[in-house]
Amino acid sequence: RREPTAPAVRHDSTAALWVPALSAALFAAALLLCHRRRRPRICVIAPGSGQATRAMLGAGGLRVHLAAGPEYDINGRRMPPDWVSMREVQLHESDARAAGVDLLVAGRGRASCLNLATLAGRLFDAPSGAIVSCEVPSRVPRPQPAASFSCLVCGSRGGQVTLPALWLLGCRVPAVVINGGCARQQASWAWPSGVPVVLLTGGRDYFNEHRDALGYDGDERYLAELCAAISGNLG
């Protein structure tokens, strides 16, 4: 990862944090510093979180709820149609099936009704405002009010698709987003107002390969792109 050339930028509603490397212990400590609850309750969205999942599960003093549904994360079928903009994306399996999401769509390939967007519909119950478990019921013995969570933790594809889908369902839990996948102009309309979001990104992720193009103006340009993508949501 590139060393940062810009300082950390923090706003009331959104913060972009530049971190060249992040150990499991440092990440757990960062979460504890961000929240003043005695034992923060964290919901980790497993797809794309990688090391963060292991860090949260191994950290002391945290109540970790793991959202892990392998059937929603099958390579080649996990990205729903129109996920880049998140417009008209089906958020529940039944709606996705009725819309024919699992049929061959020209230019996109074959998606699945069990995908990273419908994972959000499985995780968050909009009528009750509760977060429930996927795959690991022992960690969430019963649905928990979303307001009882200190934050969501997601990374990569979970931040690209599942987090915006949760926002569209009405979930308003603060979020820590590794790789900053939700920070794209096409989906900026889906960002909820006033919800704290911390972006942890070094800018060398596979969806930032354009940064290696000849003439790209380094970290300052990347920071400008991030800010432009979320400018309407900065406090």
Side-chain angles (χ1 to χ4, degrees), residues 35-43 62-65 124 128-132 139-152 171-174:
H35 301 284
R36 298 178 180 178
R37 295 181 181 179
R38 186 174 181 181
R39 290 190 65 218
R41 175 176 281 148
I42 310 297
C43 179
L62 298 175
R63 291 175 290 178
V64 179
H65 295 218
F124 181 73
S128 66
I131 289 178
V132 298
R139 292 195 174 275
V140 188
R142 61 185 180 278
Q144 302 289 331
S148 69
F149 285 83
S150 294
C151 73
L152 305 172
C171 183
R172 295 295 183 263
V173 180

Side-chain angles (χ1 to χ4, degrees), residues 48-69:
S49 291
Q51 293 288 343
T53 299
R54 288 183 282 274
M56 295 296 96
L57 291 175
L62 298 175
R63 291 175 290 178
V64 179
H65 295 218
L66 181 64

Side-chain angles (χ1 to χ4, degrees), residues 4-201:
T5 58
V9 178
R10 185 170 180 84
H11 304 269
D12 291 338
S13 59
T14 304
L17 302 182
W18 290 67
V19 182
L22 194 63
S23 68
L26 178 58
F27 187 64
L31 286 179
L32 288 172
L33 289 174
C34 287
H35 301 284
R36 298 178 180 178
R37 295 181 181 179
R38 186 174 181 181
R39 290 190 65 218
R41 175 176 281 148
I42 310 297
C43 179
V44 179
I45 299 171
S49 291
Q51 293 288 343
T53 299
R54 288 183 282 274
M56 295 296 96
L57 291 175
L62 298 175
R63 291 175 290 178
V64 179
H65 295 218
L66 181 64
E71 67 273 24
Y72 293 85
D73 193 30
I74 298 175
N75 189 24
R77 306 197 68 193
R78 59 194 173 206
M79 307 300 277
D82 300 315
W83 69 267
V84 174
S85 70
M86 294 301 297
R87 297 185 184 276
E88 301 183 8
V89 171
Q90 304 299 322
L91 305 178
H92 298 281
E93 179 188 351
S94 58
D95 294 335
R97 196 172 302 281
V101 167
D102 57 339
L103 302 177
L104 188 64
V105 181
R108 297 193 184 100
R110 186 180 294 275
S112 171
C113 295
L114 297 178
N115 57 57
L116 294 173
T118 58
L119 172 61
R122 171 66 180 84
L123 175 62
F124 181 73
D125 180 62
S128 66
I131 289 178
V132 298
S133 169
C134 294
E135 184 73 2
V136 192
S138 62
R139 292 195 174 275
V140 188
R142 61 185 180 278
Q144 302 289 331
S148 69
F149 285 83
S150 294
C151 73
L152 305 172
V153 175
C154 56
S156 194
R157 56 189 179 273
Q160 287 179 299
V161 180
T162 308
L163 179 62
L166 285 168
W167 288 341
L168 293 177
L169 287 165
C171 183
R172 295 295 183 263
V173 180
V176 176
V177 187
I178 304 163
N179 310 124
C182 59
R184 57 184 187 275
Q185 288 185 319
Q186 301 94 322
S188 62
W189 67 274
W191 279 57
S193 176
V195 177
V197 177
V198 177
L199 303 178
L200 299 174
T201 175

